[in-house]
Amino acid sequence: MMNYFLTDEQQMIRDVAREIAEKVIAPVSAEHEETEEFAWEVMEACAQADLFRVSIPEAYGGMVPPGQVGIFNQCLVVEELSRVDAAIAVSYAASALGFFPIVLFGSEEQKRKYLPALADGKVLAAFALTEANAGSDAGGIRTRAVRDGNHYVLNGTKQWITNGGEAEVYTVIALTDPARGSRGASAFIVEKGTPGFSFGKKEKKMGIRASATRELIFDNCRVPVGNLLGREGLGFVVAMKTLDRTRPGIGAQAVGIAQGALDDAVNYARKRVQFGKPIITQQAVQHILADMAIQTEAARAFVYAVARSIDAGVEDFSKESAMVKTFASDVAMRVTTDAVQIFGGYGYMREYPVEKRMRDAKITQIYEGTNQIQRNIIGLALAKEYAAKK
Amino acid sequence: MNVIVCVKQVPDTTEVKINPETNTLMREGVQSIVNPFDLYAIEEGVRLKEKHGGTVKALSMGPPQAKEALVEAVSLGVDDAFLLSDRAFAGADTLATSYTLAQGIRRLAPFDLILCGRQAIDGDTGQVGPGIAEQLGLAHVSLVRKIREVHPDRLVVERMTDDGFEVLECRLPAVLTVVKEINEPRVPSIRGKLRAKSYQVTVWTAADLVAESERLGLKGSPTQVVRIFTPKRRGRGELLEGKPEEQAAALFDRLREAGVV
């Protein structure tokens, strides 16, 4: 890995995350993959090691100084955890996806109420936008929130919600004014245990199996008015501003997966002897490994650059955030596919962790906006940028 | 519950080699680490504090570089760390070491509990923990694998034995030496590391302790190391092969041949 001139604090964050990954996650990774059970013991270790604090403001129990965001910190942790197990890393990262809306749009009271426990890692958060008929077309959500006195009454079903059932705090996007389309959506904080809020089936997935992916079912669920984030009609703004800040984290997850695959592939190629010598001495193999290394490092450099620029306070970064998510996830898919190829038949066997990385990589091209949707965002931004120049 | 954890900095024995001519440890270039058993003592101390309140202090005796081990203890959640370091302490055997640490502990009073690892991986004697208890006139339980109950004036603990464990009650203050079964040491936290980074270990010399000089270091050490050697392996184990029934039959034959049955 290149020297990225991390500050002492960033280096410490990386070291602690790596230690958690190697000492706590690695020994239980295969078991969680097999049982698909949520890795609470790892979440507890992450909490104890302060990893949930790295992207929460100091004032609420976190480590981020006033005026900063902590995206780079978050990326460092997600990358290190994903290098060992992307499925378990997702459970960590999805909590940040759930609490960023509170960090960004929460009132002082909401922040005081929810962020300290999330920073302590005593509870996890989750983010709920997707529905059965509203994926890439997020404007198609049907979940309703109707004001009734001091409450909003929620009805509808959210689908494929990461940390569903495990998290205590949910940011839920629902329509308060269907007539206004995407401007009629609002964001709510909903606590687990609220009457009328239950969980549907837990999905069985191709990859990231140890992560929890469930339906959230709202059946006349009464949420106090005080749990509205921002104001009515701001729902999609909350969602988009949050995703702009978390997409580099998907990039970091992809970089971690790719790095893990590269590590596996190089180590295997050094040991695997065919035709009387280790296969790493074959130029055909070396070139594959070289391309894997080039792409992984380029993706990392890009993730770090975007995360740092967000932390430094640039105004508009939707395009860059979309670019880095797309680039890094495509890299992860290619690099993990090549890693399986280096392993040959062994790579196809589930006994070796390298096929898991390939299955885990696939989701990074899909969630938090498919790479096709990211390219739409980028294309639109280019059109606007160049139009403004004239 | 105010806890003092005794910590030793040791060479990483997975790296250590023995000089075949002098039969001494070749320590040059070998990394120093916190004695692995002491990590369990630190963890237990920090857990007691988290559960019952109070403080955890770490104490060590050694050369100035042993501060590193204490700083690591701070990163793991220890509140304060103290190093007893003086040329007068050098060459101490387990008797002089126990005495010196006991005098340091007296300066750290009041305390409820002293925790030590079961033994250090370099000397492997397991004597210093119980030795401290003797010097201070306190109860001690060695090889503790679980603290079952914590009361203001007493503890109920499980002591590991070859074929199980004993449940013992002891009054406080007491000294416990702990085995690795007692807990799973945590990874240092980011806040802990940040604190450790700027933490200044308090260093005490012989002059800072109320201690009789003839009981310190080499002078206070009746033990002399005559020779260090790798013991010859006596007897050989034999692996019986085959199905379980065949193995059982073979074992029975062997026992009968030996006249045991």
Side-chain angles (χ1 to χ4, degrees), chain B residues 16-133:
Chain B
V16 160
K17 294 181 182 66
I18 290 178
N19 182 331
E21 285 172 19
T22 59
N23 282 321
T24 53
L25 296 178
M26 295 165 67
R27 296 193 184 216
E28 296 75 25
V30 175
Q31 216 194 333
S32 294
I33 56 170
V34 175
N35 176 43
F37 291 114
D38 299 350
L39 291 173
Y40 299 91
I42 292 168
E43 177 66 29
E44 199 61 20
V46 173
R47 286 186 190 192
L48 285 169
K49 177 187 120 173
E50 286 170 351
K51 205 165 166 196
H52 303 281
T55 60
V56 191
K57 293 170 181 163
L59 175 69
S60 186
M61 183 184 93
Q65 70 151 14
K67 275 190 226 170
E68 295 161 12
L70 288 168
V71 164
E72 190 174 334
V74 169
S75 79
L76 290 164
V78 160
D79 297 310
D80 275 306
F82 302 82
L83 176 67
L84 309 180
S85 191
D86 194 315
R87 285 185 179 281
F89 302 151
D93 67 1
T94 57
L95 184 71
T97 302
S98 309
Y99 173 73
T100 311
L101 286 170
Q103 300 316 103
I105 288 166
R106 288 181 201 277
R107 260 206 82 166
L108 293 174
F111 53 84
D112 301 296
L113 184 64
I114 297 161
L115 294 172
C116 306
R118 65 176 290 175
Q119 66 200 57
I121 58 165
D122 54 354
D124 269 336
T125 66
Q127 291 169 357
V128 172
I132 289 168

Side-chain angles (χ1 to χ4, degrees), chain A residues 188-228:
Chain A
F188 299 91
I189 306 168
V190 186
E191 294 177 30
K192 184 178 175 178
T194 307
F197 175 23
S198 62
F199 303 103
K201 65 169 175 175
K202 191 174 171 186
E203 305 291 346
K204 294 181 89 84
K205 305 186 293 296
M206 175 193 213
I208 56 165
R209 292 182 180 175
S211 67
T213 308
R214 278 180 89 168
E215 282 177 341
L216 310 186
I217 301 164
F218 300 97
D219 179 13
N220 287 320
C221 172
R222 296 177 71 83
V223 178
V225 169
N227 283 23
L228 174 71

Side-chain angles (χ1 to χ4, degrees), chain B residues 146-149 151 154-158 167-170:
Chain B
K146 186 175 184 180
I147 298 178
R148 273 195 184 182
E149 296 171 30
H151 301 279
R154 67 198 165 87
L155 295 176
V156 178
V157 302
E158 292 180 11
V167 179
L168 299 169
E169 186 173 304
C170 75

Side-chain angles (χ1 to χ4, degrees), chain A residues 8 12 16 19 48-51 53-54 61 63, chain B residues 43 50 186-194 197:
Chain A
D8 285 351
M12 239 171 239
V16 169
E19 210 171 332
Q48 191 158 58
D50 296 329
L51 293 184
R53 300 187 199 284
V54 303
M63 291 178 55
Chain B
E43 177 66 29
E50 286 170 351
R186 71 192 62 191
V187 168
S189 68
I190 298 167
R191 283 178 168 180
K193 281 198 165 209
L194 284 170
K197 192 172 175 287

Side-chain angles (χ1 to χ4, degrees), chain A residues 271-345:
Chain A
K271 285 190 212 130
R272 172 69 170 170
V273 175
Q274 289 288 276
F275 306 108
K277 55 187 179 181
I279 61 170
I280 200 167
T281 58
Q282 305 284 5
Q283 211 171 49
V285 170
Q286 285 176 8
H287 284 190
I288 297 174
L289 294 174
D291 281 332
M292 290 165 71
I294 293 167
Q295 295 174 76
T296 303
E297 201 64 68
R300 177 180 291 118
F302 195 5
V303 168
Y304 289 7
V306 173
R308 281 170 161 163
S309 86
I310 296 173
D311 283 349
V314 293
E315 291 265 309
D316 187 6
F317 44 84
S318 294
K319 183 182 73 176
E320 289 73 19
S321 174
M323 287 168 122
V324 76
K325 186 267 184 190
T326 306
F327 182 78
S329 59
D330 285 350
V331 161
M333 199 63 243
R334 277 197 303 272
V335 167
T336 54
T337 306
D338 285 344
V340 170
Q341 192 68 20
I342 295 284
F343 273 72

